[in-house]
Amino acid sequence: MAQFWKDENKKERMSIVEEWNKKGGVMLITYDLFRILTRKVCAPGQKETVEEDAADLEEEIEEDSARLFYEYLVNPGPALVIADEGHKLKNPASLISSCVSKIFTPSRIILTGTPLQNNIS
């Protein structure tokens, strides 16, 4: 199982994601970190307010690294995406919704305790 946190440096994160991409398995990642790692490619120029702890991470992701993270995490994507707190993806104009919707995957499961409409695309 691959998992990483904000305390790991860029090289460690890249190594973990690259290994997961090659070998497969389970990847646990927060919405904020996914958005930060992929936003320069999945939504260039789109602005969104970020939490303070995420702001430091965002500054260190360079264009070349962002392209690799996008390739490893989004295209081709995993066989299955399970999104907890799916209500965070409800707004199609949000940056995280925009980035998550670009994941190439045959199957998605959205978990939420908040009622959602049935027409999520």
Side-chain angles (χ1 to χ4, degrees):
M1 175 168 31
Q3 54 185 330
F4 53 95
W5 316 105
K6 68 175 187 163
D7 297 334
E8 291 165 338
N9 68 40
K10 182 174 51 175
K11 286 184 182 181
E12 289 173 6
R13 272 189 235 116
M14 182 64 74
S15 175
I16 291 168
V17 173
E18 184 177 20
E19 182 177 342
W20 169 81
N21 181 265
K22 289 178 181 175
K23 295 182 178 180
V26 176
M27 168 69 70
L28 299 177
I29 187 169
T30 64
Y31 286 128
D32 278 339
L33 191 52
F34 179 81
R35 176 187 45 79
I36 289 164
L37 296 177
T38 62
R39 77 174 283 172
K40 286 187 179 177
V41 177
C42 77
Q46 188 173 346
K47 301 289 183 192
E48 184 174 70
T49 306
V50 296
E51 296 177 14
E52 280 184 33
D53 61 341
D56 293 336
L57 286 171
E58 191 153 14
E59 293 173 10
E60 74 178 52
I61 305 300
E62 295 140 6
E63 194 71 32
D64 291 341
S65 295
R67 281 191 192 99
L68 285 174
F69 280 122
Y70 183 84
E71 178 184 325
Y72 295 151
L73 294 171
V74 177
N75 188 10
L80 172 66
V81 171
I82 301 174
D84 193 15
E85 299 187 40
H87 58 277
K88 291 184 177 184
L89 305 175
K90 189 175 178 183
N91 178 0
S94 74
L95 184 56
I96 189 59
S97 179
S98 176
C99 290
V100 169
S101 70
K102 288 183 171 77
I103 298 174
F104 288 87
T105 181
S107 302
R108 298 172 194 259
I109 298 173
I110 298 176
L111 307 172
T112 185
T114 304
L116 293 173
Q117 292 178 339
N118 291 333
N119 62 351
I120 295 178
S121 52

XYZ file of all heavy atoms in Angstrom, residues 45 50-51 62 78 96 102:
53
model
N -3.750 27.502 -14.560
C -4.315 28.841 -14.462
C -5.522 28.963 -13.562
O -5.895 30.058 -13.167
N -6.228 27.788 -0.879
C -5.714 26.562 -0.268
C -5.493 26.778 1.212
O -5.291 27.895 1.676
C -4.385 26.105 -0.923
C -4.617 25.745 -2.378
C -3.317 27.162 -0.808
N -5.523 25.700 1.972
C -5.259 25.783 3.399
C -3.786 26.136 3.617
O -2.938 25.876 2.767
C -5.576 24.444 4.058
C -7.039 24.073 3.967
C -7.315 22.705 4.553
O -6.446 22.152 5.251
O -8.407 22.197 4.315
N 7.174 21.738 -9.305
C 7.570 22.379 -10.555
C 6.807 21.753 -11.714
O 6.228 20.690 -11.591
C 9.078 22.234 -10.746
C 9.868 22.974 -9.678
C 11.083 22.187 -9.204
O 11.374 21.131 -9.788
O 11.697 22.627 -8.233
N -5.823 4.696 -11.976
C -5.967 3.389 -11.338
C -7.197 2.634 -11.853
O -8.071 3.218 -12.494
C -6.130 3.745 -9.859
C -6.680 5.130 -9.867
C -6.128 5.798 -11.087
N -10.599 20.789 -7.160
C -10.445 19.367 -6.854
C -11.404 18.528 -7.695
O -11.042 17.467 -8.198
C -10.585 19.062 -5.341
C -10.200 17.605 -5.053
C -11.969 19.347 -4.819
C -8.799 17.221 -5.454
N -10.762 14.123 -14.109
C -9.880 13.791 -15.225
C -9.180 12.440 -15.057
O -8.476 11.990 -15.960
C -8.862 14.902 -15.417
C -9.489 16.153 -15.991
C -8.446 17.215 -16.248
C -9.006 18.372 -17.024
N -9.803 19.292 -16.292
